[in-house]
Amino acid sequence: MPAGRWGRRLLLALAVLLGLGLLAGLFLWVMMARGLPDAASLASYQPPLPTNLRAADGSPFHTFARERRVYLPYAEIPPVVVQAFTSAEDRTFFEHEGLDYAGILNAVWVNIQNLGGDRRPIGASTITQQLAKNLLLSNELSIARKLREAILARRIEQQFSKEEILELYLNEIFLGRNAYGIEAAAQAYFGKPAAELKVEEAAFLGGLPKAPSAFNPNSNYARALQRRNYVLGEMARNGHISPETSRSLQALPLAVTEGSMPLRQADVGGYFIEEVRRQLIDRFGEEAKDGPNSVYAGGLWVRTTIDPLMQEAAERALRNGLVRYDSGRAWRGPAATIETGEGWARRLRAKAVGTGYPEWRAAVVLEKQAGGMRLGFEDGATGFMANGDAVRAKGGVPAWQLLKPGDVVPVTGTGGNRYALRQIPEVSGALVVQEPQTGRVLAMVGGFDVRGSSFNRATQAKRQPGSSFKPFVYAAGLDNGMTPASIVSDAPYCVYQSARLGTKCFRNFSGGYAGAQTMRWGLEQSRNLMTIRIAYNSGMDNVVKLAKDLGIGDYDPVLAIALGAGETTPMKLVNAYSMLVNGGRAVEPVLYDLVMDRTGKPIFRADTRPCDGCNATRWQGQAMPRPADARRQVMDARTAYQVTHMLEGVIERGTARTLSSLGVPIMGKTGTTTGPKDVWFVGGTPHFVAGLYIGFDQPRNLGGVQGGTFAAPIWRDFYLRAFKDNPPDPDPFIAPAGVRMVRIDRRSGRRVFGAWPSADPRSAVIWEAFKADSEPRRIYRTAQDLKALQPVQPQERVRSDSDFLRQQGGIY
């Protein structure tokens, strides 16, 4: 066969083989490309960002995050960071179109040489390929995944500019220490923003993507230093810095912070923060899959209502009260127990003992020594506790004899690295502070320490309010024809309830009876028998309806409810008192009033009232715009004020006289339940309402404490701490339209004309609040009836309101 024919056949065969190869390659490309994510979806990609909380004054104080990340637009990324990362990861990034073919051939050759060995195959992934893998693919180690990665990288390069690709990559990449992106990494390793990074610091971060844990300087300093110097050399090779600069920087030590920079965590407000977290998750979701504004990925900015000063005062006051109650009790043993061998500090941190006070510390007994014991703390430090500082006894045996290595106890410093034993109270409670006009919760304490118990007693504990519920019984009486001057009998009272319940006889807390007294006196002195009579005469249906309207609880109309036997939470009861101060208008508890998404767009506002003109760009002398108050009127405003006015008497003359010396108008009511198992005080000024209770989580007898002698002093402690540097204005409670202030005799309830109230709270004459036409009438004798020689009994006549007002010239 001629040579020319063989040549033609050979060429034909080669062409067929080449065609088949191209077809096979095309088929493989199509198969690999099938089902790939759309590269264009990166245009709408939003990396997970933490949610940041701000206090009411705008100061940042807490972060919810599982990935530490702060997103930086490309324009805010320093050039030295770009140079470091491209030099370390992809030096031809700005020239290639997604794939580094020279690097791929080199990786193939090296991997062929390593066949049969145990070395991990190397890759030649560009930054674009890494982005495709991190965001759109898996970490599967296979040829198929590498092919899909290459296809996707090409598509990304066609869709986005180099700057856009780098922006996504440098904000998404994991760099160790729970830091995602270069801004979070700069903070985590160097305690500074990325804009302030030096060349050698940027080079260190640029070397981390390959293996963040392997190049951790805290565990492998030499390897981390070697990797940083390699990146500095590559930066010089690529012309970003001079060789001389590279060599001088390589001679510098690697200086990073000791540990990861912690996320912003508030020192106070643990229960408040946890309640905000729960509410935000209910509203927006928890993870990215739950929506674009989720708590742990949405990058929300939340303005909470917490007042840090009030919160700190509330926590300190409640803890002081709990510790004071517990101080006379026996020692109950260690808070926890751990192994004391290597790693004890880590195990101690994992116990998360809730020590409450900032000055209290969780400590583990490491060993017993002569005269005391060596203690270890969560940070690895040690201290000493003398036997004389651990004398609290259990069963007559002092704690220092019972403590053994591994026992975890709270201690407080006494000076010179010496410590004294403390005990976390078993009794607990809650304290809530609310702004009555808006419902904003200014402080919330749900127990001794959220680390010890996440159960929030402010919102989750259902307790009997006892006498702190009585104001709402009196409100029902005022709504049904009674007045603060109405006479009610304080005498024995029994009622047949039903065949099942039988006859119920009520008694006063202190026993005894006082006979006929004014309604005001009954509330000030917290008389059970008078309260029961008012509830019965007003109708228990009306009492429980009012309690439901105010959000206190949904109760059966039985008389025991009038004495606070129905369960409620501290938050609900404080909110109901806020409605009293707010003139009977509906109030809802608000823990955050503004939420913005990651772009700064508001996505939630607590105050949705329309306000025409509030967003006007210019002021031209027009009237100030005011939003309309369309909130529901839950209670007659006049009734709300009458109850508030009577509750001021509780402070001046009643069961909470311990607060009368504070020197500002305060209303409030104590509460002590049967046992007593709970003690309460709820009250406030025109600007805030605060309420608290103390009791065991499993209710049992508290012993000889009462609301007036134990709960009210805690409230006083809170007030003095919260306002020690900024005393509130002594503003009075404002009476609404339709209320008449009339002088009456405090004990008899009769109207007085010849005397005036004095500053003495025990004055016989006081101002009392009446609804129009309900005040006591003036009774006088006519001239005809007073004829000197007539021995007849004079007639009594009630003058008309109009005659009285004309003669007296005003309303009293």
Side-chain angles (χ1 to χ4, degrees):
M1 184 179 292
R5 182 177 299 178
W6 278 106
R8 287 193 298 272
R9 288 184 175 180
L10 181 61
L11 289 174
L12 180 62
L14 290 173
V16 170
L17 289 174
L18 180 61
L20 290 174
L22 290 173
L23 286 174
L26 179 62
F27 176 76
L28 182 62
W29 182 275
V30 171
M31 292 300 295
M32 291 294 103
R34 180 186 300 176
L36 276 178
D38 184 5
S41 64
L42 286 178
S44 59
Y45 170 74
Q46 294 183 328
L49 293 179
T51 288
N52 293 283
L53 303 187
R54 292 182 178 270
D57 60 5
S59 59
F61 79 106
H62 194 81
T63 298
F64 296 134
R66 296 200 173 113
E67 294 182 3
R68 185 200 314 275
R69 180 185 280 108
V70 179
Y71 195 89
L72 284 186
Y74 185 80
E76 297 181 22
I77 299 174
V80 68
V81 170
V82 174
Q83 295 163 5
F85 275 83
T86 54
S87 296
E89 295 293 314
D90 189 359
R91 67 185 183 86
T92 62
F93 173 75
F94 286 100
E95 287 106 40
H96 65 64
E97 295 181 352
L99 301 175
D100 180 4
Y101 297 106
I104 292 173
L105 291 175
N106 179 66
V108 170
W109 175 248
V110 171
N111 289 331
I112 290 174
Q113 290 179 317
N114 293 335
L115 284 175
D118 58 355
R119 301 178 68 178
R120 180 184 174 92
I122 69 168
S125 293
T126 63
I127 283 178
T128 312
Q129 287 176 275
Q130 292 181 48
L131 182 66
K133 180 190 70 173
N134 291 342
L135 297 185
L136 302 174
L137 298 174
S138 68
N139 287 321
E140 174 194 2
L141 185 62
S142 67
I143 295 176
R145 197 268 293 166
K146 293 297 291 184
L147 289 173
R148 290 162 63 85
E149 180 184 287
I151 296 170
L152 197 52
R154 290 280 297 154
R155 292 181 179 178
I156 290 174
E157 290 277 349
Q158 294 167 2
Q159 290 276 350
F160 301 98
S161 68
K162 291 290 187 179
E163 290 76 13
E164 291 172 330
I165 293 171
L166 263 182
E167 179 180 317
L168 285 170
Y169 174 78
L170 291 175
N171 281 288
E172 174 63 28
I173 191 72
F174 175 64
L175 297 171
R177 292 193 177 184
N178 197 32
Y180 291 78
I182 51 100
E183 178 68 15
Q187 294 284 357
Y189 287 98
F190 301 107
K192 62 173 69 173
E196 298 177 9
L197 288 173
K198 300 176 182 178
V199 174
E200 67 273 19
E201 295 169 342
F204 167 75
L205 296 181
L208 289 175
K210 185 176 182 179
S213 60
F215 300 129
N216 181 359
N218 294 117
S219 57
N220 198 339
Y221 180 85
R223 192 173 181 185
L225 183 65
Q226 182 183 19
R227 178 65 176 170
R228 184 206 66 177
N229 291 345
Y230 164 78
V231 177
L232 286 169
E234 289 298 299
M235 293 178 72
R237 177 186 172 192
N238 295 326
H240 299 310
I241 58 176
S242 67
E244 294 78 13
T245 301
S246 176
R247 286 191 294 270
S248 65
L249 293 178
Q250 289 181 40
L252 296 175
L254 184 56
V256 299
T257 58
E258 285 298 318
S260 174
M261 291 288 288
L263 293 168
R264 183 180 290 113
Q265 302 292 310
D267 295 328
V268 298
Y271 286 101
F272 187 103
I273 291 167
E274 178 60 18
E275 184 63 22
V276 169
R277 189 185 75 89
R278 288 173 181 158
Q279 292 189 16
L280 288 173
I281 288 175
D282 288 343
R283 187 180 297 275
F284 299 108
E286 183 173 2
E287 306 289 353
K289 61 182 176 60
D290 299 322
N293 298 314
S294 64
V295 171
Y296 286 99
L300 304 178
W301 289 87
V302 182
R303 186 178 68 197
T304 69
T305 60
I306 191 171
D307 182 318
L309 293 178
M310 278 199 177
Q311 179 68 38
E312 184 175 3
E315 290 184 6
R316 179 69 65 164
L318 184 67
R319 285 173 183 152
N320 286 351
L322 298 177
V323 169
R324 185 166 62 252
Y325 177 87
D326 190 68
S327 60
R329 272 66 182 175
W331 187 61
R332 290 183 295 276
T337 304
I338 64 170
E339 294 291 332
T340 57
E342 184 178 352
W344 59 263
R346 173 177 48 80
R347 289 190 289 275
L348 180 59
R349 288 193 296 271
K351 282 296 181 181
V353 176
T355 54
Y357 294 105
E359 60 269 25
W360 286 19
R361 303 177 67 183
V364 59
V365 177
L366 296 177
E367 61 176 334
K368 301 292 281 288
Q369 298 178 341
M373 59 203 78
R374 189 166 70 93
L375 304 176
F377 299 101
E378 293 179 352
D379 58 1
T382 60
F384 181 79
M385 181 166 65
N387 291 339
D389 289 323
V391 297
R392 196 164 183 173
K394 179 181 182 181
V397 181
W400 65 267
Q401 292 186 21
L402 300 173
L403 284 169
K404 60 186 183 302
D407 286 345
V408 178
V409 293
V411 297
T412 187
T414 59
N417 203 31
R418 298 173 71 92
Y419 295 86
L421 180 67
R422 295 292 181 263
Q423 178 164 259
I424 298 171
E426 184 182 16
V427 71
S428 195
L431 196 161
V432 179
V433 187
Q434 186 177 28
E435 189 176 71
Q437 291 75 26
T438 63
R440 298 165 69 247
V441 178
L442 306 176
M444 174 187 289
V445 191
F448 189 76
D449 193 317
V450 71
R451 292 172 298 175
S453 171
S454 61
F455 180 66
N456 189 343
R457 295 156 189 83
T459 59
Q460 295 174 300
K462 294 183 177 180
R463 315 292 292 209
Q464 291 183 343
S467 295
S468 58
F469 179 78
K470 288 178 181 176
F472 307 103
V473 177
Y474 282 69
L478 294 170
D479 277 338
N480 287 275
M482 302 184 75
T483 76
S486 294
I487 299 300
V488 181
S489 177
D490 183 36
Y493 190 86
C494 296
V495 61
Y496 177 77
Q497 299 180 103
S498 67
R500 180 175 64 87
L501 298 176
T503 299
K504 169 71 174 177
C505 291
F506 297 91
R507 61 181 295 274
N508 288 316
F509 179 81
S510 58
Y513 315 105
Q517 301 289 339
T518 64
M519 190 179 184
R520 166 181 283 279
W521 186 89
L523 184 56
E524 291 177 356
Q525 304 303 321
S526 196
R527 305 297 284 187
N528 290 347
L529 295 172
M530 295 177 67
T531 303
I532 287 294
R533 279 189 166 82
I534 293 169
Y536 186 81
N537 293 331
S538 304
M540 277 305 300
D541 288 336
N542 293 320
V543 173
V544 297
K545 180 182 183 303
L546 181 59
K548 183 176 182 180
D549 289 344
L550 292 169
I552 301 172
D554 191 357
Y555 307 126
D556 292 329
V558 295
L559 283 174
I561 295 297
L563 300 182
E567 293 181 338
T568 189
T569 67
M571 183 71 259
K572 290 180 178 179
L573 194 59
V574 167
N575 193 67
Y577 272 74
S578 288
M579 291 189 219
L580 289 177
V581 177
N582 195 39
R585 288 186 297 275
V587 173
E588 292 292 335
V590 175
L591 274 74
Y592 56 91
D593 53 14
L594 176 64
V595 180
M596 297 185 293
D597 66 14
R598 65 176 67 208
T599 68
K601 176 185 176 183
I603 56 176
F604 170 82
R605 291 183 185 274
D607 189 349
T608 59
R609 294 175 296 170
C611 183
D612 296 334
C614 284
N615 293 326
T617 57
R618 295 180 62 188
W619 184 75
Q620 298 177 321
Q622 68 270 32
M624 180 182 293
R626 295 184 182 276
D629 191 348
R631 290 176 294 183
R632 185 168 59 99
Q633 194 73 36
V634 181
M635 179 193 297
D636 188 323
R638 300 169 301 171
T639 298
Y641 178 77
Q642 286 179 299
V643 174
T644 300
H645 190 54
M646 286 193 290
L647 290 176
E648 289 185 82
V650 174
I651 309 300
E652 295 170 345
R653 294 172 294 273
T655 56
R657 288 190 301 276
T658 185
L659 304 178
S660 61
S661 62
L662 292 176
V664 295
I666 298 175
M667 54 82 79
K669 184 69 185 73
T670 57
T672 306
T673 64
T674 302
K677 295 179 179 178
D678 296 297
V679 291
W680 291 76
F681 180 79
V682 186
T685 72
H687 306 296
F688 78 91
V689 172
L692 69 106
Y693 90 92
I694 303 294
F696 291 99
D697 286 341
Q698 298 297 323
R700 66 175 190 263
N701 199 316
L702 288 168
V705 298
Q706 297 179 27
T709 60
F710 194 78
I714 295 176
W715 195 99
R716 176 188 174 85
D717 186 15
F718 155 73
Y719 181 93
L720 293 175
R721 292 178 182 277
F723 298 105
K724 64 179 179 180
D725 297 324
N726 186 26
D729 295 329
D731 297 327
F733 295 93
I734 303 301
V739 168
R740 295 180 176 178
M741 302 304 295
V742 176
R743 289 172 288 163
I744 67 167
D745 179 80
R746 180 169 59 84
R747 295 306 301 268
S748 70
R750 293 178 179 177
R751 195 163 188 168
V752 172
F753 292 94
W756 293 85
S758 70
D760 182 2
R762 293 189 173 275
S763 169
V765 179
I766 63 170
W767 290 108
E768 190 57 272
F770 293 90
K771 297 172 184 174
D773 297 331
S774 70
E775 64 272 20
R777 302 295 193 254
R778 182 175 186 177
I779 300 175
Y780 76 104
R781 306 181 194 280
T782 65
Q784 182 178 3
D785 294 331
L786 295 175
K787 293 180 179 180
L789 298 177
Q790 280 216 335
V792 296
Q793 186 69 25
Q795 297 289 323
E796 294 185 341
R797 183 164 67 87
V798 178
R799 291 174 36 180
S800 70
D801 290 334
S802 57
D803 288 344
F804 170 72
L805 292 177
R806 279 197 301 271
Q807 182 173 336
Q808 297 298 324
I811 299 176
Y812 287 79

